[in-house]
Amino acid sequence: QVQLVESGGGVVQPGGSLTLSCAASGFAFSDYGVHWVRQAPGKGLEWEAYIRSDGSKKVYADSAKGRFTISRDNSKNTLYLEMNSLRVEDTAVYHCVKGASGSNLLFDHWGQGALVIVSS
Amino acid sequence: ETVMTQSPATLSVSPGERVTLSCRASQSVSTDLAWYQQKPGQTPRLLIYGASTRASGIPARFSGSGSGTEFTLTISSLQSEDFAVYYCQQYNNWPHFGGGTKVEIK
């Protein structure tokens, strides 16, 4: 079955950097667009970034533009999110999410997420 | 940017009752609208896509309707396992979620 397992979360100071990874299995990773979606503690869902199946297109939410970089390594079935200039308001669980077959902008499988805490 | 607004924020309901949740888009998203259910400590689960198509394995008591800017998720008879937060999401352009509706026990 589809599995998405995030890693790399932790505590970082404001202005710091962190890179998240997501190991995918149970499906043809290189055939699907994938996303990062975050959820601050007790809050709603916020889409952050998307990368096309072959990595040729990347799109970011305004909150991520200029600070976050999404990338993927299809040979390793792994998705990444490099986060720089982190702010307190970036504190959240970051989920790796697979795009659906019919529409890459529809989310059909979610990872459990990696917790990022930005605090001094 | 298409802003999604859900109402109400919280709904107190008794088991067996019919529940209607609303979602409004700031501009037309056609029928590119999905609903997700999230229980505490769990990841969101896709319930409805295309505004009215149930995802695989979703019980028939869940139904969706609407197009353009106004959408509704209806649960015909609320079961104990349905108490959760429900989010709508448009995918007509880059994804945006509504703020969620919490369905709680009355």
Side-chain angles (χ1 to χ4, degrees), chain B residues 6 12 17-18 21 24 31 34 39-40 46 59 62 65-66 73 79 87-89 92 99 103:
Chain B
Q6 290 185 242
S12 298
E17 284 189 21
R18 180 184 180 88
L21 284 61
R24 174 177 292 176
T31 55
K39 298 179 182 179
L46 178 64
F62 291 92
S65 64
L73 174 69
Q79 305 299 300
Y87 295 95
C88 63
Q89 176 231 333
N92 185 258
V103 177

Side-chain angles (χ1 to χ4, degrees), chain A residues 19 28 42 57 77 101:
Chain A
T19 297
K57 180 170 184 149
N77 288 349
S101 298

